[in-house]
Amino acid sequence: MTRDKRKKRKDHAGKKAVVKSQKASKQASKAERKDARLNARDSEDEEDIELLLKQFEEQDRKANMVSEETAAPPPSPRANASFVASPLSNTVCYLFGGEHYNGSKLRVFNDLYKYRMDKKDWRKITCALTPGPRSGHQTVALTNGKLVLFGGEYASATQNQFHHWKDCWIFDLKENKWEKLDIATPAARSGHRMTVWKNFVVLFGGFYDNYKTTKYYDDLWLFDTTAYTWTKVETSSTSSKPSARSGFQFFTHNDTCYVYGGYCKKQLEGEREKGVVYSDMWALQMSTDPTALKWERVKKAGAAPPPRAGCAISVHKNRAVLFGGVEDEDEDEDKGGGAGDDASVCQNDMYNFALETKKWFPYAVKKPKTNEPEPATLPATPTGKTKATEPQFDPNLPHPRYNAMLAVQKNTLLMYGGLFERRKEEHTLDDLWSFNLDKQGPWECLQRGAWERATATAAATATGTVDHLPATEATAAAPLADSESDSDSESSDSGSGSN
């Protein structure tokens, strides 16, 4: 019996030990599963954070995404755009914005192009953040590789609504990136002009039109490119200064900024509002002290051009080179200085203004050596009659125009686009020309415009000389359709407009 009791106790103790061991094993297993769940949760949380960070990086990348690709086709026809030479490369110029009216509707652009002179091609730069569509704005280049853009105008397709901008943007040429400055600026306007002196951008004039009132400005502003601040310059009320205007020319030489020409609408007593074209010139003596700035009128000397609106001027060494413009007795439209009636005469001549002697001279343009046939007259009118007074199309020279875009890169003058009027027809151009300023030419056509190709083809067809045209011109039977010529630059209804 005693052995049986000890055996029972021994068996009980063994069973108890087994149960205890099993319980401990279960607890250990439970703890392991708990730890595993916690570790898994931590791992999932880590993966979520990494995914979130990647999403943030992707959003930031898209917000700062920039693409640069060969433009096919090149920029569409346009006027009142900005065209500036790059300060970082002597073979590059930048074109931004502008407008095109095809006779029924207006298109306003906010695309940015880079023209490479060495490659003779256009590159289109696309940024996620960019200024709204506009024309009549101003863009200037700084030596530090940045562009400064201010103002401009947007108009709806029917031109029944206008919006004037007063925003200021910086474009970094090294990063291909726009930045909008959140700062106080001059009043909204277009048709103003800007030029650079030392570390300042100088702004003068322009106009504002909301269909109820039209205001022309004669104010002067300085933009400090180191502090990113605008300052209005208050000149003496007793001293002379240029009258309010838009569409003038504004350029810098040494410590002097020059204003030439321009356009303004004036209400004459007892008469309807009338456009006035200026041909005066003013010099602004610059100083780091804004209170010391002073205007002086420059006397007209030499063989100055006749009064004309929409001419373009660029500076090369010690001279300012003027091209084109439109001469009109009665200016009815404010497109940076002019559109008009049947008396409008567009020009393609050139003048020099000697900045040391302050004298004007006609520019003697060297003609190219060519075996091209004599230019044909423009095609007959719808009545079948060709007027003897119709202008001729010379393929060796830029077509007469106004509001063209000029840029000087080293010794080369580049010209793009602009407007040509014939009777009551207005044509927006998209041709590109170069001119050697050291050798006085000749002009070289780098890109023949669609309208000029069609005009030359029609004229050659009418005279039976179509076989003599270059292949690129003979195959262009008509101007590009609106849907084709502007397909690369659709504008939203949130933007800007004319000069």
Side-chain angles (χ1 to χ4, degrees), residues 372-373 393 395-396 448 453 456-457 460 465-476:
E372 291 279 347
F393 173 72
N396 301 312
R448 187 72 71 183
R453 292 198 306 269
T457 302
T465 59
V466 68
D467 292 338
H468 297 288
L469 287 172
T472 55
E473 295 179 21
T475 56

Side-chain angles (χ1 to χ4, degrees), residues 84-90 92 94 140-147 173 409:
V84 296
S86 169
L88 302 182
S89 170
N90 57 20
V92 172
Y94 289 86
V140 293
L142 309 179
T143 56
N144 63 1
K146 294 184 178 181
L147 306 182
L173 298 178
Q409 192 60 279

Side-chain angles (χ1 to χ4, degrees), residues 74-77 100 109 480-489:
S76 56
H100 175 207
F109 311 111
L480 292 175
D482 179 67
S483 59
E484 296 173 342
S485 63
D486 293 331
S487 61
D488 62 317
S489 47

